[in-house]
Amino acid sequence: MKTIFNSEFFPTPEAVIEDMLFGVDIQDKVFLEPSAGSGHIVEVLNERGAKQVLAFEELEDLRAILSSKCKVIGEDFLQCKPEQISHVHYIIMNPPFSNADRHILKAYEVAPEGCQIIALCNWETIHNSFSRNRRQLEVLIKENGSSTNLGPVFSEAERTTGIDIGLIKLIKPVISDQTKFEGFYLDADEEFGGQEGLLPYDEVRDIVMRYIGSLKEFDEFVERANRLDAYIKPIGMGGQIGISLTHRKSTLDKEEFSKELQKISWEWIIGKLKIKKFVTSKVMEDINKFVEQQTHIPFTQKNIYQMMDMIVQTRGQTMDKAIIEAFDKITSYHDKNRYNLPGWKTNKHYLVGETFIFPYMVKQSYHGHPETEWSSDNKMDDINKVLCYLTGKSWDSMLSYYNRIRTENCYLSVEGTTITDIIYNKALNRSGNKYGSPTAFTEESAKEFAENYYPGKKYSLFKRPEWGQWCDWDFFEFKCYKKGTVHFKFKDRDVWALFNQRVAKIKGFPLPEKF
């Protein structure tokens, strides 16, 4: 008989759920369950008035069960990005016992400020801190929460284990200002003349009309179901007909549909904007949080331009925050950091060194080459956006960290503008592509293309990363290691100095004499 469970599946007993939820204000709050299983915790939250429950679950059959109980937003919680859950009030979790420390650290990393994290784990995870992750968790508990030994509370559960279970409660402190998008929106559109420049008025009008039209179609689906129900009611089938709309296998009501559509529309708009280089991961978190929490503010042309204008007007503040976040991320990995993070002497605690190291940035792909690891993308993309802001370089011409690591053959950069395979193939097709199919750059073809199509211009090649070898990438050279670390080295000492000088100005401290 097929089983839908695995060795890590331990449904949470009711008594343990009561311990986890003791003192928790459930009514009208948003919860995340990162390892939801068949939904024991989800059911209790729904029964007690949670506004919404979001969930991750790896097993497909369990996701099918969960989809009728809550909104399933992903499979692997370790791939979760902060902007997905920026509106949650609580993260409540019974993660896999084998690597609970990593899941709890991930929860703390992506949780919004003010969020409370409630997690179960093997008590040894807390009591026996033999690994760096466990030591890091130990410091987090000491500084931001508490832990309790519940004893062998799974000994008489649906699936039993005799180990002692620990209950961890953490609160992520509130540091930054409240989201800047709150309270500024206008009411519904009258006919609005628009404005050119950042994004053509016709494109804004088009996406607004698509949004409005989609909601009308949703209403029409519901009305059709009601009409069908009225037809069959006299013969005894009335009240049994309904139409549901699903997105990513989750059923949506109209409010959820509207929010999902707004978030996707905002992503499309920002993707089209010339201000994309100023939209850091933190700004995306703020937008997501605002869309999730607002209930009555219309998605209109006027409000879109209001949002765009606000992002442009506050770009200096946004970049200053991003600069400090980048500085704090890099310097937190120095060899004597108090958080028990991985640390290296290469990383300084008082400035960003010309060379610095990040952990958990790459992993080995199926074919043996480097590929991006969980939660790695935003770190370097935000740093590159900061450096673009400081130097005046265009972010639009740069490769993202994800695309740079996953370069299959070779990318070509001509005087700061990246030439992708798409441009390459268009040029080949215009001149008669003898291969008759899309062709990727090789080192030889990239050089030939640059010399033929951009004669006399300075160009460089971005080759596929190989383990332990320095690779070129815009502001940096970088080197990937199989243990997951990536070493980054500033290519231009003036850019390195400019970054540290800006940090010193914002933080108000002097740089060391030997700089």
Side-chain angles (χ1 to χ4, degrees):
M1 182 177 68
K2 178 186 175 183
T3 176
I4 62 173
F5 310 130
N6 61 24
S7 60
E8 296 280 6
F9 180 73
F10 287 91
T12 315
E14 290 184 18
V16 178
I17 297 176
E18 292 298 327
D19 287 334
M20 299 175 79
L21 295 178
F22 180 77
V24 173
D25 179 17
I26 300 175
Q27 195 73 30
D28 293 327
K29 297 298 190 297
V30 179
F31 289 79
L32 170 69
E33 223 288 44
S35 308
S38 58
H40 283 55
I41 296 175
V42 171
E43 290 172 359
V44 174
L45 293 173
N46 286 333
E47 290 168 2
R48 300 187 184 181
K51 180 179 181 181
Q52 185 182 40
V53 183
L54 311 177
F56 282 81
E57 175 51 48
E58 287 191 329
L59 298 178
E60 183 177 357
D61 290 328
L62 292 179
R63 286 199 302 276
I65 296 171
L66 278 172
S67 63
S68 64
K69 303 177 182 180
C70 66
K71 183 178 179 180
V72 181
I73 62 173
E75 300 176 18
D76 183 3
F77 175 60
L78 295 181
Q79 300 293 333
C80 176
K81 295 184 181 297
E83 57 264 32
Q84 291 179 272
I85 61 167
S86 57
H87 59 299
V88 304
H89 300 100
Y90 293 91
I91 299 176
I92 182 164
M93 58 197 301
N94 177 10
F97 289 158
S98 62
N99 61 351
D101 51 356
R102 190 180 183 192
H103 281 74
I104 298 169
L105 291 174
K106 174 67 176 180
Y108 190 85
E109 176 193 347
V110 298
E113 294 175 4
C115 179
Q116 184 173 352
I117 300 160
I118 304 167
L120 300 178
C121 65
N122 184 338
W123 179 249
E124 286 292 303
T125 302
I126 307 169
H127 182 65
N128 183 8
S129 53
F130 69 86
S131 69
R132 191 182 294 272
N133 276 351
R134 290 189 178 188
R135 291 193 294 273
Q136 185 182 347
L137 181 58
E138 185 179 35
V139 173
L140 270 183
I141 294 169
K142 182 179 179 181
E143 297 192 348
N144 296 290
S146 63
S147 63
T148 305
N149 186 349
L150 299 179
V153 290
F154 278 72
S155 58
E156 296 181 3
E158 183 179 330
R159 270 198 82 215
T160 63
T161 176
I163 63 174
D164 281 2
I165 302 298
L167 173 60
I168 295 172
K169 294 191 175 184
L170 300 170
I171 297 179
K172 190 163 183 178
V174 177
I175 299 173
S176 62
D177 299 331
Q178 206 173 21
T179 172
K180 57 177 171 286
F181 302 125
E182 291 183 0
F184 82 89
Y185 270 95
L186 309 171
D187 53 14
D189 262 351
E190 53 270 16
E191 184 62 26
F192 181 54
Q195 62 189 63
E196 298 296 334
L198 290 174
L199 190 62
Y201 165 70
D202 286 346
E203 292 193 62
V204 175
R205 183 181 180 86
D206 179 67
I207 199 165
V208 169
M209 295 307 295
R210 288 178 183 273
Y211 170 79
I212 294 171
S214 298
L215 294 186
K216 287 181 179 178
E217 290 292 334
F218 190 100
D219 288 338
E220 193 168 318
F221 271 120
V222 175
E223 181 58 32
R224 283 176 182 243
N226 292 336
R227 290 202 301 266
L228 179 58
D229 191 67
Y231 273 115
I232 62 178
K233 187 175 181 180
I235 58 175
M237 285 184 66
Q240 301 177 47
I241 298 298
I243 294 177
S244 63
L245 188 70
T246 61
H247 179 240
R248 296 173 182 165
K249 299 182 180 180
S250 293
T251 303
L252 303 176
D253 60 23
K254 186 176 180 180
E255 182 181 341
E256 290 174 327
F257 176 68
S258 173
K259 287 177 180 178
E260 289 298 315
L261 195 57
Q262 278 200 38
K263 285 190 288 186
I264 293 169
S265 298
W266 279 119
E267 289 174 4
W268 184 90
I269 290 167
I270 288 169
K272 287 276 189 178
L273 292 179
K274 295 176 183 177
I275 61 169
K276 186 177 180 181
K277 60 186 175 183
F278 300 123
V279 182
T280 64
S281 57
K282 182 62 178 172
V283 172
M284 287 307 302
E285 287 178 46
D286 289 343
I287 291 173
N288 179 75
K289 183 177 180 180
F290 178 79
V291 171
E292 286 286 354
Q293 291 183 341
Q294 62 92 2
T295 57
H296 61 279
I297 293 169
F299 183 72
T300 65
Q301 298 164 74
K302 187 184 295 183
N303 288 342
I304 289 170
Y305 282 114
Q306 185 86 346
M307 171 77 85
M308 293 191 297
D309 185 60
M310 179 159 284
I311 292 173
V312 171
Q313 295 301 323
T314 59
R315 63 186 182 181
Q317 299 170 25
T318 297
M319 283 299 129
D320 281 351
K321 287 182 180 179
I323 288 167
I324 297 304
E325 286 176 5
F327 174 84
D328 289 342
K329 283 177 183 176
I330 296 170
T331 55
S332 67
Y333 292 105
H334 72 87
D335 65 322
K336 294 181 181 178
N337 73 80
R338 67 190 182 93
Y339 302 107
N340 276 302
L341 292 166
W344 297 271
K345 292 182 179 178
T346 301
N347 293 356
K348 313 299 182 186
H349 69 278
Y350 53 88
L351 58 78
V352 171
E354 287 186 77
T355 300
F356 59 90
I357 302 170
F358 270 148
Y360 313 129
M361 293 292 285
V362 287
K363 61 183 178 181
Q364 189 165 301
S365 71
Y366 176 78
H367 299 289
H369 300 297
E371 69 176 23
T372 51
E373 177 58 292
W374 60 283
S375 70
S376 62
D377 297 3
N378 288 344
K379 287 180 185 176
M380 290 308 301
D381 285 349
D382 282 354
I383 290 172
N384 273 333
K385 286 181 180 181
V386 163
L387 295 176
C388 284
Y389 173 72
L390 293 176
T391 62
K393 182 179 173 68
S394 172
W395 164 255
D396 296 330
S397 67
M398 295 179 64
L399 286 172
S400 68
Y401 176 75
Y402 177 88
N403 286 330
R404 180 63 189 96
I405 294 296
R406 286 175 172 260
T407 300
E408 287 294 328
N409 291 288
C410 184
Y411 277 111
L412 173 69
S413 177
V414 179
E415 294 188 346
T417 299
T418 301
I419 310 299
T420 65
D421 293 340
I422 296 172
I423 298 173
Y424 175 46
N425 279 287
K426 282 183 178 178
L428 287 178
N429 288 329
R430 283 198 301 269
S431 60
N433 182 1
K434 63 181 179 181
Y435 301 104
S437 61
T439 307
F441 272 134
T442 63
E443 187 173 348
E444 293 74 20
S445 64
K447 290 179 179 178
E448 181 181 351
F449 185 81
E451 290 165 0
N452 288 339
Y453 285 87
Y454 300 94
K457 292 190 175 182
K458 184 179 179 182
Y459 67 88
S460 56
L461 304 179
F462 294 158
K463 303 176 187 176
R464 181 174 65 188
E466 300 292 347
W467 298 112
Q469 296 182 17
W470 285 107
C471 301
D472 190 29
W473 178 41
D474 293 302
F475 292 109
F476 299 98
E477 291 180 335
F478 68 96
K479 188 187 296 186
C480 302
Y481 290 91
K482 291 183 179 179
K483 60 184 177 180
T485 57
V486 177
H487 295 222
F488 294 94
K489 180 167 60 178
F490 279 88
K491 290 162 59 175
D492 188 331
R493 202 169 191 273
D494 289 339
V495 174
W496 164 71
L498 184 63
F499 179 84
N500 280 292
Q501 287 164 358
R502 184 58 173 258
V503 172
K505 181 179 180 181
I506 297 169
K507 282 184 170 279
F509 60 66
L511 289 169
E513 292 183 10
K514 292 183 179 180
F515 179 64

